[in-house]
Amino acid sequence: MAEIHEECGVFGVYHVENAAMLEYYGLHSLQHRGQESSGIAVSDGETINSYKGKGLTVDVFQKEKLSAMKGNTAIGHVRYSTAGGQEAENIQPIVSKGHNGCLAVSHNGQIDNDVELRLELENHGAIFQGTGDSEVILHQIQYERGTLLERITQAARKLDGAFSFLVMDEDRIYAVRDRYGIRPLSYAPCRQGYVISSETCAFEVMGIYESYDLKPGEIVEFSKDIVKHYQYTNDISHHMCAMEYIYFARPDSVVEGKNVHTFRKESGAVLARKDQDLHADIVVGVPDSSLSAAIGYAEESGLPFETGLFKNRYVGRTFIQPTQAMRDQSVRMKLSPVESVVSGKSVVMIDDSIVRGTTSRRIVQLLKSAGAKEVHVRIASPVFAYPCFYGVDTSTRAELIGARLNVEEICDYIKADSLRYLEVEDMREVAGQIGLCLACFDGKYVTNLYTHGKELED
Ligand code: SF4
């Protein structure tokens, strides 16, 4: 139950009748990646029309609005704002109508060198509407010369950081992934065309079970009913965000060929193998993202998996307030302990991560107030000690409890009877061949941090 947020989800539809409606279903499946705003841009082959607003996809788009958005090619976006704030101008897709024609861009991630690029573009006359880094992508593409593919290629080579983005003109979509492969991006054939998504769970709701991942540094062009692949750089590495597996992605998604639920279950099993000497009665997962790891722990340890915590699904993010008092209250509103399950028991409580420590402390307190005899906290990720600069809203280093206290001190703070984390090496073992970014755990960032370095200071 991490107190961190994914920044965005992107979804594209190429050459499928009534693209806006399919786009709506795609964004709805990606809603967990961003709930603050939602937007769709549709091309009818001649022009691009867009509609976007603050709120969930179901609130922004009604049937009449979608029916009025004619065309068979579309891109969309769900957003949780960090880079750029909540202004309406930062809601995506960002659409421009310039001398090169119409362009729309949807972006997931964070551009590290956006400040430098923005300054350079402004010096060359670019006028920015919003404050977000995604607009830098659009302006950079417009600034370059040549065909659209050449302009995207040049722009992608200049961008540094984490990005998976879609670019749409009147009759094509280009999907682009950063050279480090930090954010996921997949595509799949759909009827006579294609769909492109941040996560494969959006394909599965459409009955599509075969999909392909973009490679790091790749541009995939969807035009004239065919797919073409280009590598904008061969200087690539494989650093999929570990947090996608731990917390962000839906358990039914497949990221880099590995099902997210399976990854979490295996992480739970590793934790259980380290607990040979622990005598407990039941295993309880903090819903929802820790349930898979709790099942894995229970299977490996032979202890019963129980629903010891119940999640109220109707509490929106509106209630997550910045003050400590409101955060405490929001935990109570979201989670209830099941007294008849935990009372008198020694509980192994599995959670995905500890960020500030306050949420874990409240959950331990909830279980104990419901009569749990002991609460042994097991975290299905390593100690979270460094902020993320790749499109995830984490706290500053000073706010991260893992940056200030050692494991024993954190255990005291959250008032658990014992505390254990996964090690970085355990994560690598579970990932197998998949290369991971683990920077928020080990501080080894894969890019030049440009102006962000100062945020690492205590
Ligand atoms: S720093 Fe952490 S949250 Fe950010 S991309 Fe890397 S693993 Fe993911």
Side-chain angles (χ1 to χ4, degrees), residues 182-183 241-243 388 390 392 437-440:
I182 297 172
R183 295 275 147 244
C241 166
M243 268 292 169
C388 174
Y390 303 137
V392 171
C437 170
L438 293 155
C440 50

Side-chain angles (χ1 to χ4, degrees), residues 4-6 162 182-183 239-246 248 384 386-394 436-446:
I4 50 177
H5 303 282
E6 176 67 79
I182 297 172
R183 295 275 147 244
H239 288 92
M240 168 55 64
C241 166
M243 268 292 169
E244 292 283 353
Y245 292 107
I246 296 164
F248 298 133
F384 196 132
Y386 299 87
C388 174
F389 304 112
Y390 303 137
V392 171
D393 174 36
T394 50
L436 294 178
C437 170
L438 293 155
C440 50
F441 308 116
D442 62 11
K444 294 179 184 161
Y445 295 91
V446 297

